[in-house]
Amino acid sequence: MVNALQLAIDFHNQLPENDRPELTGGYQGFYHLMDVSGNVEEARASYIIRDFEKDAFEARKETMRDIADKMNQKLGNNRVTLSLTDQYYNMKEVIEKDMTPVTIAKAVMEDLGITPIIEPIRGGTDGSKISFMGIPTPNIFAGGENMHGRFEYVSLQTMERAVDTIIGIVSYKD
């Protein structure tokens, strides 16, 4: 008997132990286990892979392929199937070619008395997708705290400042 849930656990345990979002920060990439479901006969685990550099991102995908291949070799057949879908890439390679949106956002924020903090962040699905469609779209603040957790919140005052910033950006005249 092969327990599919155990295979999912075994797969997960072969990923680098410290490459999880809660144990990484800054520009460190990670494997983010999003969901595990199943029973003895069939199990599924869903991950998000993130990295700031394209080569490192590709290496993370290759690590997952290698784990699946090694498990299947050990099992003697293909019980572990891996499906990889690129969700988005780091927008840095697009934004660096045209910093105009960053320059405009910075000017607007300064006019509003907001001190801009310009640094890459871990995230930004919408901005990345739009950037790779040809419109450089950096992330700006929205006021969220404790992002992607059950204690996530946005203060009204900060959200109002984000709205002021967005209005300033769309009405910006050089």
Side-chain angles (χ1 to χ4, degrees):
M1 180 180 98
V2 176
N3 184 328
L5 286 169
Q6 186 61 53
L7 290 181
I9 292 167
D10 293 346
F11 182 94
H12 182 75
N13 286 340
Q14 292 181 64
L15 291 169
E17 183 178 341
N18 293 315
D19 286 6
R20 302 188 320 243
E22 64 271 22
L23 300 177
T24 60
Y27 304 127
Q28 293 175 290
F30 55 81
Y31 300 92
H32 186 184
L33 178 61
M34 296 293 293
D35 183 64
V36 177
S37 60
N39 54 45
V40 172
E41 294 176 0
E42 182 179 50
R44 165 179 245 119
S46 176
Y47 291 84
I48 293 175
I49 304 171
R50 293 271 164 80
D51 217 297
F52 280 89
E53 301 301 326
K54 198 166 196 171
D55 290 344
F57 177 68
E58 294 300 326
R60 287 185 184 282
K61 293 191 304 187
E62 192 59 34
T63 296
M64 294 187 96
R65 285 186 196 102
D66 289 345
I67 292 169
D69 290 347
K70 287 175 188 168
M71 289 179 71
N72 284 329
Q73 287 174 0
K74 184 176 179 183
L75 292 164
N77 57 31
N78 289 336
R79 292 189 184 263
V80 177
T81 58
L82 182 66
S83 174
L84 294 170
T85 304
D86 290 349
Q87 182 183 28
Y88 70 89
Y89 297 104
N90 186 343
M91 69 182 78
K92 173 184 167 185
E93 65 186 78
V94 175
I95 301 294
E96 284 181 333
K97 294 175 187 170
D98 183 0
M99 292 292 285
T100 303
V102 175
T103 303
I104 292 170
K106 181 177 185 246
V108 167
M109 291 173 74
E110 288 172 344
D111 286 348
L112 292 169
I114 300 168
T115 304
I117 300 170
I118 300 171
E119 62 185 16
I121 63 165
R122 295 173 10 151
T125 307
D126 296 338
S128 175
K129 291 278 191 186
I130 296 167
S131 291
F132 279 94
M133 288 191 290
I135 303 170
T137 309
N139 296 309
I140 63 168
F141 73 100
E145 300 289 340
N146 302 323
M147 300 300 278
H148 306 304
R150 66 184 210 161
F151 298 110
E152 180 176 348
Y153 69 93
V154 178
S155 76
L156 180 59
Q157 296 83 0
T158 304
M159 188 175 275
E160 287 171 343
R161 300 300 282 167
V163 169
D164 293 341
T165 301
I166 292 166
I167 292 169
I169 289 169
V170 298
S171 61
Y172 183 81
K173 291 179 176 58
D174 199 11

